[in-house]
Amino acid sequence: MDAVVKKFPDISDERRDERPSRAEAEAAVETLLRWVGEDPTREGLRETPARVVKAYEELFGGYRQEAGDVLGRTFEEISGYDDMVLVRDVDFHSHCEHHMVPIIGKAHVAYVPDSRVLGLSKIARLVDIYGRRLQTQESMTAQIATAIAGMLRPKGIAVMIEAEHMCMSMRGIRSKGSLTVTTSFQGAFAEDAELKGRFFSLTGHRV
Ligand SMILES: Nc1nc2c(ncn2[C@@H]2O[C@H](COP(=O)(O)OP(=O)(O)OP(=O)(O)O)[C@@H](O)[C@H]2O)c(=O)[nH]1
Ligand SMILES: [Zn+2]
């Protein structure tokens, strides 16, 4: 597998060949500026297409990373610890795939180790990778759970995302402040109601 293929794991070969140039991306931003009624030649906007493309590189940088890039190392020395490991309140920003408008929220990620654990920061890195792609909240929740399952084979995984979708607050229904909650429970968390209940209470929710 060559380096380019690895950097864009979710894009088919055909689509990757069609990836537009930076100049084409900047021209597309200029078109949008004209479409909203702006004059892209005025001083304040002259550099905007280049800035937007640069910002998109950062905001959508998750397409150039894979879960394996960050979850690579696991640790086995846990002195027999066998309860849940929970990293909660991981702030993230993403963009909805329907409107390309921000999703802002928190992820709570827990697992019960079998023999190995992850470095704690790697969970936040995983949330960041999937956040920096176009998403639905459901897909992002499932992708985090699947990546941890594949890397760690733990006894159980719980992922909860609570997020505000700006496409619901800034436009459309304009329902400001509503939170969408999605969950994925696997293994011990799906089978053991007491464990699931502790996940809810540790993340500040009533069962
Ligand atoms: N299930 C799901 N829906 C989402 C997510 N993000 C945005 N949406 C919804 O995607 C839907 C797209 O609906 P459409 O009717 O095709 O688009 P629209 O006319 O812009 O819809 P409105 O937002 O109702 O104005 C909307 O109901 C959004 O609220 C998400 O992460 N998951
Ligand atoms: Zn949307």
Side-chain angles (χ1 to χ4, degrees), residues 9-10 21 26 34 38 46 48 60 95 97 117 157 167:
D10 298 335
S21 67
E26 289 178 11
R34 285 195 284 114
E38 266 294 355
R46 239 175 266 152
T48 296
F60 298 111
H95 287 78
E97 67 184 26
V117 294
I157 300 173
C167 65

Side-chain angles (χ1 to χ4, degrees), residues 121-200:
S121 65
K122 308 305 181 194
I123 288 178
R125 287 189 186 280
L126 195 60
V127 171
D128 182 65
I129 288 180
Y130 290 125
R132 285 186 301 112
R133 296 180 183 187
L134 289 177
Q135 283 291 7
T136 67
Q137 190 171 321
E138 294 91 329
S139 301
M140 187 170 162
T141 307
Q143 286 163 0
I144 294 167
T146 302
I148 294 174
M151 182 55 60
L152 215 51
R153 304 265 166 232
K155 290 180 182 153
I157 300 173
V159 179
M160 177 188 285
I161 294 183
E162 303 175 90
E164 181 173 2
H165 290 242
M166 292 303 150
C167 65
M168 271 179 74
S169 14
M170 291 173 62
R171 57 159 295 288
I173 186 67
R174 298 194 190 182
S175 152
K176 200 171 168 302
S178 63
L179 278 186
T180 301
V181 180
T182 44
T183 56
S184 173
F185 295 110
Q186 299 185 12
F189 283 97
E191 292 149 16
D192 181 343
E194 189 270 335
L195 183 66
K196 191 190 275 186
R198 279 204 289 130
F199 174 82
F200 279 117

Side-chain angles (χ1 to χ4, degrees), residues 90-130:
V90 180
D91 284 318
F92 73 90
H93 296 98
S94 188
H95 287 78
C96 80
E97 67 184 26
H98 302 127
H99 303 93
M100 296 180 71
V101 171
I103 304 171
I104 298 172
K106 286 181 189 302
H108 313 293
V109 181
Y111 64 93
V112 177
D114 186 0
S115 55
R116 295 177 299 158
V117 294
L118 287 167
L120 296 174
S121 65
K122 308 305 181 194
I123 288 178
R125 287 189 186 280
L126 195 60
V127 171
D128 182 65
I129 288 180
Y130 290 125

